[in-house]
Amino acid sequence: MGLQDITDRITKAATDAGRDPTSIDLIAVSKVQPIGRVEAVLDQGHRLFGENRVQEAAGKWPALQERFPDAKVHLIGPLQTNKARQAMELVTAIHSLDRPKLAQTLARLAQDLGHCPKLFIQVNTGEEPQKAGILPAEADGFVAECRALDLPVVGLMCIPPVEETPSLHFALLAKIAARNGLTGLSMGMSSDFEQAIAFGATHVRVGSAIFGERVKPA
Ligand SMILES: *Cc1c(COP(=O)(O)O)cnc(C)c1O
């Protein structure tokens, strides 16, 4: 547990997979964590964090970034269109682009703001009705649609169903990304980031294994 342990495990998983460890970004998922734990990880020199709610990120990060100006935040949770502008001003990447309406909103705002965070399209690899994300069969079309809107799509993201073998989902996500010429793969959490790295993850999203169990549900 802890940042150093996770960094070591990432290095080992990458090396075992014949990959360069520096090709994998560790997103420390700080949602719902007490601020002291987040500060401790910042003090250890880590600079990339993940939040799943715009509201929570907006309440926490501007103050932290005054003290740690090079700290960056990625949005990894669902994004409502009415929070899109605020998100775009706050984060350097959004991992939850999951529907045409959001793509259109982001494209319009990108014109307005003159910039856009890097985008990952979330794919619902398990085709779970309650889960966000584009269905695998619709992913190619949606990638094309986002590109036609000039959106900076850099990769795909998935959250495998809890009760299934994650590797199958990581493999599927990697396959969809490859055939669409996308190099970014946001996959792997505390319980499965090593497997995700074996399947090509470029961004692993690790929360509780770094910070400890979340004290409130996310
Ligand atoms: C909370 C969360 C994580 C981190 O989960 P852990 O199991 O604590 O590592 C990763 N990705 C998303 C989208 C999350 O919401």
Side-chain angles (χ1 to χ4, degrees), residues 12-218:
K12 178 163 192 315
T15 310
D16 288 351
R19 301 183 55 201
D20 175 1
T22 64
S23 68
I24 297 150
D25 284 343
L26 170 60
I27 302 170
V29 179
S30 48
K31 65 180 183 200
V32 203
Q33 294 288 352
I35 201 75
R37 291 186 186 172
V38 182
E39 288 167 336
V41 170
L42 281 159
D43 283 333
Q44 290 172 72
H46 195 72
R47 290 296 179 265
L48 180 58
F49 294 82
E51 291 285 345
N52 73 333
R53 294 203 173 142
V54 178
Q55 221 56 35
E56 186 185 340
K60 188 189 305 180
W61 282 98
L64 287 171
Q65 283 167 327
E66 276 180 27
R67 288 155 54 206
F68 302 94
D70 52 346
K72 293 187 167 47
V73 182
H74 286 190
L75 181 70
I76 60 170
L79 179 56
Q80 295 166 256
T81 49
N82 64 1
K83 300 228 171 74
R85 175 184 288 269
Q86 193 181 13
M88 290 171 83
E89 287 168 343
L90 199 64
V91 306
T92 56
I94 294 171
H95 293 238
S96 48
L97 173 50
D98 60 357
R99 59 198 190 278
K101 183 164 183 249
L102 181 59
Q104 287 149 19
T105 302
L106 293 174
R108 183 170 43 75
L109 289 168
Q111 291 263 309
D112 265 24
L113 296 166
H115 72 90
C116 188
K118 288 184 284 185
L119 301 173
F120 292 82
I121 291 172
Q122 183 172 352
V123 181
N124 186 356
T125 56
E127 307 190 26
E128 296 172 279
Q130 82 285 7
K131 203 167 266 178
I134 289 282
L135 292 173
E138 289 162 10
D140 296 1
F142 188 57
V143 172
E145 192 176 337
C146 291
R147 284 182 168 148
L149 289 167
D150 266 335
L151 288 172
V153 175
V154 298
L156 303 179
M157 178 270 223
C158 76
I159 308 171
V162 274
E163 68 286 0
E164 287 182 28
T165 311
S167 298
L168 300 174
H169 296 270
F170 299 153
L172 174 60
L173 196 73
K175 193 171 111 189
I176 299 171
R179 73 172 181 239
N180 283 285
L182 291 168
T183 52
L185 285 171
S186 169
M187 56 190 199
M189 316 195 343
S190 289
S191 57
D192 55 20
F193 67 89
E194 285 142 320
Q195 287 140 282
I197 288 169
F199 283 90
T202 59
H203 294 70
V204 293
R205 310 179 308 266
V206 181
S208 43
I210 294 176
F211 294 103
E213 288 305 317
R214 285 180 283 277
V215 284
K216 297 184 284 176

